[in-house]
Amino acid sequence: MRGLFLAHESTMSGRHVPVLVNEVVALAEGCHRIVDCTVGDGGHSARLLKPGKELLAIDRDSDAISIAKVTLGTGSIVWLNSSYADPKAHETIRQFRPDFVLFDLGVSSRQIDADSRGFSFRRDVPLDMRMAPGCGMSGADVLNTLDGDELARIFRDYADEPKSRRIANQILRRRKATPFVVSDDLVNAVRAALGPQTGPADFARIFQAVRIEVNGEIRALENTLPTVLEALVPSGIVAVISYHSVEDRVVKHQFREWSRACICPPHVPICTCRGRALGELMLRKPASPSEEEIASNPRARSARLRAFRKR
Ligand code: SAH
């Protein structure tokens, strides 16, 4: 499993360092109508937005929007504080008629480093994990209310955890006595389920799985990629940076599906669909950060960039 932000890697500077930024800028060369679905602190957009270009900047975190407004200043920018998966966002993306759409998935360093946001397993951090502060169920709500099957599914599907059932059972047992409130509650349950050698990488993986559930991250991506393809002008590009295998798999499968010329089911011996591919992959292999980039920004380590060009 890739994509774990370990506590000791905290930059504590509070600033998010954009990942694979030169590679993204190279892909967007010649594009003018750019959608940044995850604007964050505005790191990628600052490099993409040049005179004569227009930007639709989306983030579900209102703090991120405020910071990106400072980073990006005044340019030709439309701001949208919403999940990119909301119907309103889909409509805005369609009307924008973009030629380049970027997703830089997951959470920013600033979100991870702010204890009040509750993404981290550092001691005594509230189990919040909501990217849109105050909206929907928090991490604690998920851990205190979901049934055993649902909890086990989260750890199995989002953390590749073979002992998902054991962790779920620990949570059910412990929450009967005291509801889950802070990071230590989950850390202790995971340690009790997996044994004393359980280390930071395990906690990071399990916390990340809860975060993916809290924010509906996989569903959001699966629902939005088709809208983006529809919204793009001909020859428009969608680029996605993912940080763990579950989200990367969604992107890989979607792009592969779009690249297939024939969409007949596998058991049909002769092609009857006369299908044409919806476009082409722009990178034969996903791009990953150089050793140099990883050395200067360890959180880039797990990043994978995939891109698709619409026909
Ligand atoms: N590229 C940015 C960093 C992005 S970090 C930069 O260089 O500064 C990821 C951002 O995506 C976070 O701010 C998070 O709030 C946002 N995000 C994650 N899922 C989202 C969703 N479904 N809709 C909108 N924003 C989302």
Side-chain angles (χ1 to χ4, degrees):
M1 162 97 11
R2 303 188 276 109
L4 306 174
F5 285 166
L6 302 180
H8 66 268
E9 288 175 357
S10 166
T11 58
M12 286 314 191
S13 70
R15 260 216 91 70
H16 180 88
V17 181
V19 172
L20 289 167
V21 70
N22 293 330
E23 290 79 354
V24 169
V25 169
L27 285 170
E29 168 102 55
C31 295
H32 290 91
R33 298 185 62 77
I34 296 158
V35 179
D36 189 341
C37 287
T38 52
V39 72
D41 286 6
H44 285 99
S45 279
R47 290 280 307 276
L48 293 168
L49 188 62
K50 294 276 161 338
K53 308 207 177 201
E54 290 176 43
L55 175 72
L56 167 58
I58 305 174
D59 204 294
R60 69 194 309 182
D61 179 354
S62 50
D63 291 352
I65 294 278
S66 306
I67 290 169
K69 280 186 174 167
V70 176
T71 313
L72 298 173
T74 53
S76 189
I77 310 176
V78 178
W79 295 98
L80 187 59
N81 178 201
S82 140
S83 169
Y84 58 69
D86 279 1
K88 175 181 65 176
H90 282 198
E91 195 43 40
T92 311
I93 296 170
R94 276 198 200 92
Q95 284 175 3
F96 194 77
R97 305 285 293 146
D99 54 10
F100 188 80
V101 178
L102 174 67
F103 294 84
D104 179 20
L105 298 171
V107 275
S108 67
S109 300
R110 192 180 39 73
Q111 289 169 322
I112 285 266
D113 290 345
D115 282 352
S116 61
R117 300 299 301 271
F119 288 106
S120 137
F121 59 90
R122 281 189 295 275
R123 299 221 53 185
D124 254 340
V125 170
L127 283 165
D128 190 313
M129 305 191 182
R130 287 171 291 190
M131 289 181 190
C135 292
M137 293 224 282
S138 67
D141 295 335
V142 162
L143 296 168
N144 288 322
T145 57
L146 264 51
D147 69 23
D149 287 347
E150 289 171 315
L151 289 170
R153 170 191 58 80
I154 293 171
F155 304 128
R156 188 193 59 227
D157 291 357
Y158 300 156
D160 285 343
E161 174 52 59
K163 295 179 182 156
S164 55
R165 177 58 61 178
R166 265 159 82 163
I167 301 178
N169 288 342
Q170 271 295 330
I171 292 170
L172 296 182
R173 255 220 330 269
R174 284 162 179 258
R175 80 186 187 193
K176 257 196 225 146
T178 335
F180 281 61
V181 179
V182 289
S183 49
D184 308 39
D185 300 331
L186 182 55
V187 164
N188 292 336
V190 173
R191 192 180 286 118
L194 302 186
Q197 331 76 317
T198 312
D202 299 301
F203 300 130
R205 198 163 44 83
I206 298 300
F207 272 65
Q208 177 175 269
V210 177
R211 186 203 88 201
I212 293 171
E213 174 69 20
V214 164
N215 295 287
E217 293 175 38
I218 302 304
R219 232 179 4 260
L221 185 60
E222 283 172 343
N223 291 344
T224 304
L225 287 174
T227 298
V228 164
L229 182 73
E230 185 196 321
L232 281 170
V233 298
S235 302
I237 292 164
V238 49
V240 186
I241 306 175
S242 60
Y243 293 86
H244 57 80
S245 46
V246 187
E247 61 194 10
D248 187 49
R249 211 173 297 144
V250 171
V251 182
K252 182 167 102 180
H253 286 166
Q254 181 65 92
F255 285 5
R256 190 187 287 161
E257 175 73 22
W258 290 345
S259 325
R260 277 172 49 197
C262 168
I263 52 167
C264 291
H267 60 267
V268 175
I270 296 171
C271 171
T272 53
C273 75
R274 294 167 196 269
R276 282 217 283 160
L278 299 170
E280 59 180 2
L281 294 175
M282 294 189 70
L283 306 166
R284 241 174 27 85
K285 283 204 321 197
S288 37
S290 63
E291 291 299 322
E292 246 179 320
E293 177 167 1
I294 295 169
S296 70
N297 181 16
R299 285 174 172 178
R301 182 186 51 225
S302 59
R304 297 287 177 277
L305 168 65
R306 295 180 186 271
F308 184 86
R309 188 200 301 275
K310 182 174 170 172
R311 190 153 60 83

